[in-house]
Amino acid sequence: MTPWVFLVVGLFVIGVIQALIEPRMLVTERHKAHVPGLPASWEGATVALLADFQVGLFGDNRSTVGRAVERVLEERPALVLIAGDFIHDTARAIEPVTELLCPLTDAGLPCYAVLGNHDYAMPTEKDTPDLELARRLTSALEEIDVQVLENEAVRLENEAGEALYLVGIGTHTPGHDDPEKALAAVPEGAPRIVMMHHPSSFANVPACAAPFAVAGHTHGGQVRLPLGPGWSLLTWLRDGEVYTDDWVRGHGKVGNRLYVTRGLGCSVAPVRLNCLPELTLFTLTAQKV
């Protein structure tokens, strides 16, 4: 073989090895998040965001989820958000998921979640939702004090007696997302964080209702070329706009801002390339960033 053939084969082998290794790696992303009207006692508070465990996929990454949980415990955030896809379509994964999350609630950290499409056994929008699976998962999570929100808001009060609202929007697939219903209990002008699984739900959030919102679902594209997030498996497989990760521009109504995490797991196959699993830590501030 010519040197060029050796080079191509070598790069291919390196790429395959890297794709298999990356799901076991973990990075911590840190950002400031602007929350208008944030009370002074919440200024500087840390919010942790986890998503897309996908426990149950062959070769799943429970070790990565476990290490993310350990890092959250080290940080001791004021709030832990989990943006869906706990499992990969199977009830067998429910118990391992609760075992992974128990250290957070045992440590007294407030944990809130929304479900994702895989929690309904819906890899695609054409699949039939398994409502019983979602019910069993919700029940198991709430038994360990992870509160699951579906189109509702909760008032979070800190030791100073000042409140911040957390809004949880239902799953886009199978069509359970209702942003207006989710926001109905939030007083006008009250500080809030809005959580959803699928970034598509963000498009229907009323203007100025979600100045700080978070989502998962995309895995950052999961497999992408070094040219950037626009060159990913996700963009090749889907038509239209795709919002892979980080702060999203050009999506949603005026006055709203969305962060999409790459999450911790994988879909279809347990591989990642140029797209490391992510734990996200936000520092809340009333100041514009």
Side-chain angles (χ1 to χ4, degrees), residues 21 62 86 89 104 119 137 162 197 237-238 247:
I21 290 174
R62 298 180 203 185
F86 292 85
D89 313 325
L104 296 178
D119 301 324
L137 174 61
E162 294 185 307
H197 174 66
L237 294 177
R238 300 183 182 178
W247 295 104

Side-chain angles (χ1 to χ4, degrees), residues 255-272:
N256 295 335
R257 193 181 189 209
L258 176 67
Y259 185 91
V260 180
T261 175
R262 296 188 300 274
L264 298 170
C266 303
S267 186
V268 181
V271 296
R272 280 180 178 253

Side-chain angles (χ1 to χ4, degrees), residues 38 47 90 150 156 220 256:
L38 185 72
V47 173
T90 173
E150 183 176 53
L156 308 175
N256 295 335

Side-chain angles (χ1 to χ4, degrees), residues 3-288:
W4 284 110
V5 173
F6 277 113
L7 178 61
V8 170
V9 171
L11 290 174
F12 175 77
V13 171
I14 291 171
V16 170
I17 293 172
Q18 182 68 16
L20 293 172
I21 290 174
E22 277 198 23
R24 306 296 185 266
M25 303 172 73
L26 177 67
V27 295
T28 302
E29 303 284 0
R30 297 178 185 269
H31 298 271
K32 286 187 177 181
H34 174 221
V35 180
L38 185 72
S41 60
W42 280 94
E43 184 74 28
T46 300
V47 173
L49 173 63
L50 303 167
D52 302 294
F53 299 172
Q54 303 283 9
V55 174
L57 177 68
F58 68 96
D60 68 27
N61 63 335
R62 298 180 203 185
S63 62
T64 308
V65 177
R67 283 186 286 113
V69 166
E70 289 175 1
R71 290 192 189 179
V72 172
L73 290 169
E74 292 171 0
E75 293 287 336
R76 300 289 307 182
L79 190 61
V80 180
L81 307 181
I82 311 173
D85 275 2
F86 292 85
I87 61 177
H88 194 81
D89 313 325
T90 173
R92 294 191 303 273
I94 293 176
E95 185 175 353
V97 162
T98 55
E99 290 176 352
L100 286 164
L101 292 176
C102 269
L104 296 178
T105 53
D106 287 346
L109 296 179
C111 296
Y112 295 87
V114 292
L115 298 187
N117 55 295
H118 283 280
D119 301 324
Y120 287 85
M122 292 188 71
T124 73
E125 294 183 359
K126 296 179 181 179
D127 294 300
T128 301
D130 188 336
L131 300 179
E132 176 60 18
L133 176 63
R135 186 200 65 78
R136 288 177 61 185
L137 174 61
T138 297
S139 177
L141 290 171
E142 295 193 335
E143 283 181 6
I144 62 165
D145 293 327
V146 176
Q147 185 172 344
V148 180
L149 304 176
E150 183 176 53
N151 298 320
E152 57 189 307
V154 292
R155 186 179 187 272
L156 308 175
E157 193 171 288
N158 62 11
E159 293 180 355
E162 294 185 307
L164 171 69
Y165 284 82
L166 174 63
V167 180
I169 296 176
T171 317
H172 179 71
T173 303
H176 289 182
D177 50 343
D178 189 339
E180 292 194 3
K181 179 181 178 181
L183 288 155
V186 180
E188 184 176 356
R192 81 286 304 268
I193 301 171
V194 178
M195 173 172 55
M196 65 204 74
H197 174 66
H198 200 306
S200 291
S201 299
F202 188 65
N204 295 321
V205 176
C208 301
F212 172 41
V214 297
H217 181 68
T218 67
H219 307 168
Q222 192 165 311
V223 175
R224 60 194 195 191
L225 299 180
L227 299 173
W231 293 76
S232 71
L233 181 63
L234 191 64
T235 55
W236 301 333
L237 294 177
R238 300 183 182 178
D239 296 327
E241 293 292 332
V242 174
Y243 309 100
T244 54
D245 67 327
D246 212 325
W247 295 104
V248 174
R249 296 182 180 180
H251 180 43
K253 294 181 173 62
V254 63
N256 295 335
R257 193 181 189 209
L258 176 67
Y259 185 91
V260 180
T261 175
R262 296 188 300 274
L264 298 170
C266 303
S267 186
V268 181
V271 296
R272 280 180 178 253
L273 186 62
N274 294 318
C275 192
L276 293 173
E278 171 185 351
L279 159 65
T280 322
L281 297 172
F282 298 98
T283 301
L284 304 183
T285 179
Q287 307 300 316
K288 286 189 176 182

